[in-house]
Amino acid sequence: MPPLPLPNPFVSALTVGVVGTLSKAFLNLACRTNVTGAEHLYKAWEDARKCEKKGILTVANHISVMDDPLMWGILPLRSFFSNRTSRWTLGARDIMFTNPIYSAFFANGKVIDTIRGGGRFQDAVDTAIERLDAGDWVHIFPQGFVRQHTVNPPVDRLKWGIGRILDECHSVPIVIPTWIKGFEQIMPEDRGFPKFLPRLGANISVSFGDPERVTLSLEKQRSLHRELSRSHTTDTGDQHSELTLVIEQALNNLGNSIQNNKTT
């Protein structure tokens, strides 16, 4: 399949910039927000700038329909208007791409049209791989659905699409595990009327983990798989599963470390 056409750069920057600015205003005015480890993302931006084909992949637990874009309101305002420092993400077709207006808005907001239940070999996963190989930043919620009970670890079993992305990228991207809390207070699943309005006063936390260990683990796993594949002793499914497990463990380790810090 040929690569999907990219959105107009100006319209995309304007869309992401406006949404990012509104997200930042909401977090600053309506929530109490704590951020740790943001330096890992900032360093990844700089490293990716120096190596143009080195992508960035952030992965996080998924606890609210508002996680993205609100979680990125913690970033500097200028970052929303630059392609290098604004993320691509995967978004559900049955929610975000239901009519031409929504489709245009979310596509310009750097959301990749994704079929939930469509499997790891669908076009959306191909596009995510293409963006990472181009040196872009892609963010993924590898659980695939909102899981508000995973505000604390462990995360549920992750979708293998993340494993395929990590397997098929030209090189392992800079992988940053991310743990978020409090967004379930903004859009709780049991919220009453008005159901569509976000709730105020949430205690938000966004924590970025150190990418060095998880990225090294992924590189070792990929190298091992390539050695084994030469002797036909492994298959693609095994590799995707094992790479996905590395991400699952990294997320749980980060979530557990945050919990432990709060109890000491």
Side-chain angles (χ1 to χ4, degrees), residues 58-205:
T58 50
V59 293
N61 57 319
H62 199 7
I63 55 174
S64 163
V65 294
M66 296 294 288
D67 292 345
D68 189 302
L70 282 184
M71 64 184 291
W72 306 122
I74 58 103
L75 298 177
L77 192 63
R78 65 182 181 278
S79 69
F80 306 140
F81 297 91
S82 168
N83 181 58
R84 287 291 184 182
T85 55
S86 60
R87 95 292 171 261
W88 287 86
T89 193
L90 278 64
R93 174 177 292 182
D94 59 314
I95 296 176
M96 301 181 183
F97 294 86
T98 55
N99 62 56
I101 295 175
Y102 283 6
S103 296
F105 173 77
F106 286 109
N108 282 305
K110 300 176 73 173
V111 178
I112 301 168
D113 180 6
T114 307
I115 302 171
R116 291 197 288 192
R120 67 188 189 276
F121 294 104
Q122 63 175 293
D123 295 343
V125 179
D126 296 339
T127 302
I129 294 168
E130 291 165 6
R131 298 324 319 146
L132 288 167
D133 283 343
D136 289 345
W137 167 23
V138 176
H139 177 75
I140 291 180
F141 297 106
Q143 291 167 296
F145 294 85
V146 171
R147 295 286 186 265
Q148 292 204 336
H149 63 274
T150 59
V151 65
N152 293 311
V155 293
D156 289 336
R157 178 180 176 274
L158 305 184
K159 303 297 184 181
W160 285 9
I162 187 71
R164 184 192 162 212
I165 289 170
L166 291 164
D167 184 38
E168 297 189 13
C169 282
H170 292 325
S171 62
V172 175
I174 303 168
V175 180
I176 305 176
T178 309
W179 196 268
I180 59 175
K181 298 186 72 170
F183 293 91
E184 78 285 356
Q185 300 168 23
I186 296 175
M187 295 294 273
E189 290 181 338
D190 60 354
R191 63 191 181 277
F193 181 84
K195 195 174 180 67
F196 62 91
L197 285 181
R199 277 39 177 177
L200 310 181
N203 292 304
I204 299 296
S205 69

Side-chain angles (χ1 to χ4, degrees), residues 48-63:
R49 185 186 65 81
K50 295 175 181 176
C51 180
E52 291 188 357
K53 297 301 181 182
K54 190 73 168 177
I56 301 168
L57 178 64
T58 50
V59 293
N61 57 319
H62 199 7
I63 55 174

